[in-house]
Amino acid sequence: MKTSDFNYDLPEELIAQTPLERRDASRLMTLRRSDGALEHHHFYELPDFLKPGDCLILNDSRVLPARLLGQRLPGGGACEVLLLIDRGNKTWECLVRPGRKMKPGTRLSFGGGELTAEVTEELPGGNRLVRFDYEGIFLEVLERLGKMPLPPYIKEELQDRERYQTVYSKVVGSAAAPTAGLHFTPELLEKIAAMGVGIGYVTLHVGLGTFRPVKEDDIESHPMHSEYCVISQETADLINRTRAAGGRCICVGTTSCRTLESFAREDGHMEPAAGWTDIFIYPGYKFKVMDGLVTNFHLPESTLIMLVSAFAGREHILNAYNEAVRERYRFFSFGDAMFLY
């Protein structure tokens, strides 16, 4: 199967640059997998498509304010560091700019010297290992000095960085938001729970690899990035009870989907688990546990549009995306949503 099989034409003006004032006011397109039928709704109507006895699985990862703007020492030239993976001993694997001036031994300063660092190693592929020096707790320093690492297609500065967090985010560690969950409000979650829908949480720390384009012509040749994820005993039990009673397991976001599908047994049974996953889901994949998916619209030719095509059918998905373009839906992180069932 070719990467070009997952392309569609998207006018640039449909890429949402700012979030709506009200999270659940976004539009919601529903897609019935059995026949490709489409309907247009708003996200606050999602409970109309859920049933008592279903369970909703959300990713509670919280975005790290991982983008640091500072100066190179001693000259004072500007630099940018984006934290990717904590390698221990105050050292992080990072993306850096300008790369040609960030050689091993380069010293850096952020926040007028509140945080300093040194580039210690250049890795294959261009990432750097950077060792930081600071007083106190690193996450608290980042909360003061760091900026949200918004996706490359968002050009406008985010005024309220909590709008790039889900209302249920808890476990800090993502380099990008699990954006399907941005549409939920506490009130909407309470309404869903009151219906008799179980709500469970997994953690998958989203990496910037989620934005990496598929460059190979043959999708099976694409090397998938790895991300760390956790399924608790409580969530595993909820999923097993739901399925045993005939309810549906509905994932919020491709990250929740990838977490469950990575660790489910072939018969769909879940056990608590933690570890790294590089699962790549594309058409032909047989889903083991997911029965429904709440998701945003995804980039053309991305691994994520391949995942939703595996679940709902490539023809149905491309038809839905072309309909969304005609109806002027808002796309990507701050855009509108789909419910595939």
Side-chain angles (χ1 to χ4, degrees):
M1 191 165 280
K2 300 299 183 184
T3 300
S4 57
D5 293 337
F6 300 90
N7 195 15
Y8 66 93
D9 292 325
L10 176 67
E12 188 172 347
E13 67 268 18
L14 296 186
I15 300 174
Q17 294 296 317
T18 55
L20 296 178
E21 183 176 347
R22 180 179 154 191
R23 289 176 182 262
D24 63 357
S26 56
R27 297 171 75 184
L28 176 68
M29 177 185 286
T30 62
L31 169 58
R32 191 167 58 205
R33 295 187 293 149
S34 60
D35 60 3
L38 301 174
E39 292 182 2
H40 303 288
H41 299 274
H42 287 90
F43 199 84
Y44 54 76
E45 298 174 270
L46 179 65
D48 295 344
F49 298 92
L50 306 179
K51 303 172 185 176
D54 289 343
C55 71
L56 199 64
I57 305 300
L58 306 103
N59 179 8
D60 65 5
S61 183
R62 186 169 175 83
V63 185
L64 194 69
R67 183 169 170 246
L68 291 164
L69 305 177
Q71 292 78 40
R72 305 190 305 277
L73 300 176
C79 68
E80 180 176 341
V81 172
L82 187 60
L83 308 177
L84 298 178
I85 302 172
D86 185 355
R87 297 300 188 187
N89 193 30
K90 295 187 174 183
T91 298
W92 285 71
E93 182 175 338
C94 303
L95 288 173
V96 300
R97 283 196 291 184
R100 57 191 172 80
K101 295 187 177 180
M102 302 275 272
K103 303 298 184 185
T106 303
R107 291 182 298 122
L108 313 170
S109 175
F110 308 94
E114 180 180 352
L115 176 65
T116 58
E118 180 179 345
V119 178
T120 60
E121 186 179 341
E122 182 172 351
L123 301 174
N127 290 354
R128 306 293 199 275
L129 292 183
V130 180
R131 189 176 191 280
F132 292 90
D133 189 39
Y134 51 88
E135 296 291 333
I137 299 172
F138 189 50
L139 289 180
E140 293 180 355
V141 175
L142 284 181
E143 287 291 339
R144 291 192 294 274
L145 303 182
K147 293 180 176 292
M148 281 296 171
L150 294 176
Y153 47 74
I154 293 180
K155 310 301 182 186
E156 295 193 21
E157 191 76 19
L158 183 62
Q159 299 303 312
D160 175 12
R161 66 186 189 183
E162 276 301 306
R163 281 301 271 110
Y164 196 55
Q165 305 279 15
T166 62
V167 296
Y168 48 81
S169 65
K170 183 171 67 173
V171 186
V172 176
S174 278
T179 54
L182 295 178
H183 304 282
F184 285 90
T185 64
E187 295 77 15
L188 186 60
L189 288 169
E190 289 171 8
K191 181 177 180 179
I192 289 169
M195 294 173 54
V197 174
I199 296 179
Y201 298 91
V202 296
T203 302
L204 181 142
H205 292 316
V206 185
L208 289 181
T210 192
F211 302 117
R212 190 172 69 187
V214 178
K215 296 181 179 179
E216 292 76 11
D217 290 335
D218 184 344
I219 65 173
E220 294 182 37
S221 301
H222 175 70
M224 195 67 175
H225 59 287
S226 293
E227 294 166 313
Y228 188 76
C229 49
V230 178
I231 301 171
S232 67
Q233 181 73 63
E234 182 179 10
T235 296
D237 289 345
L238 171 63
I239 293 168
N240 294 332
R241 286 196 311 271
T242 298
R243 291 175 59 81
R248 298 176 300 171
C249 179
I250 297 167
C251 292
V252 174
T254 57
T255 59
S256 297
C257 165
R258 293 179 65 240
T259 302
L260 298 193
E261 293 294 325
S262 295
F263 294 110
R265 294 198 315 218
E266 288 303 315
D267 63 0
H269 183 81
M270 295 297 309
E271 295 287 345
W276 293 85
T277 181
D278 60 358
I279 189 172
F280 183 11
I281 297 175
Y282 52 84
Y285 179 84
K286 302 300 182 186
F287 286 84
K288 295 175 285 190
V289 65
M290 185 174 76
D291 302 302
L293 176 65
V294 177
T295 186
N296 281 18
F297 293 90
H298 303 296
L299 286 162
E301 299 186 349
S302 64
T303 60
L304 302 182
I305 196 173
M306 294 171 189
L307 184 156
V308 296
S309 295
F311 186 61
R314 185 179 70 90
E315 294 79 9
H316 289 342
I317 287 295
L318 291 179
N319 180 56
Y321 274 52
N322 289 326
E323 172 77 0
V325 170
R326 286 192 295 270
E327 293 295 324
R328 311 295 290 178
Y329 273 64
R330 302 166 78 245
F331 278 67
F332 309 151
S333 294
F334 289 141
D336 297 315
M338 296 183 73
F339 178 46
L340 314 177
Y341 67 101

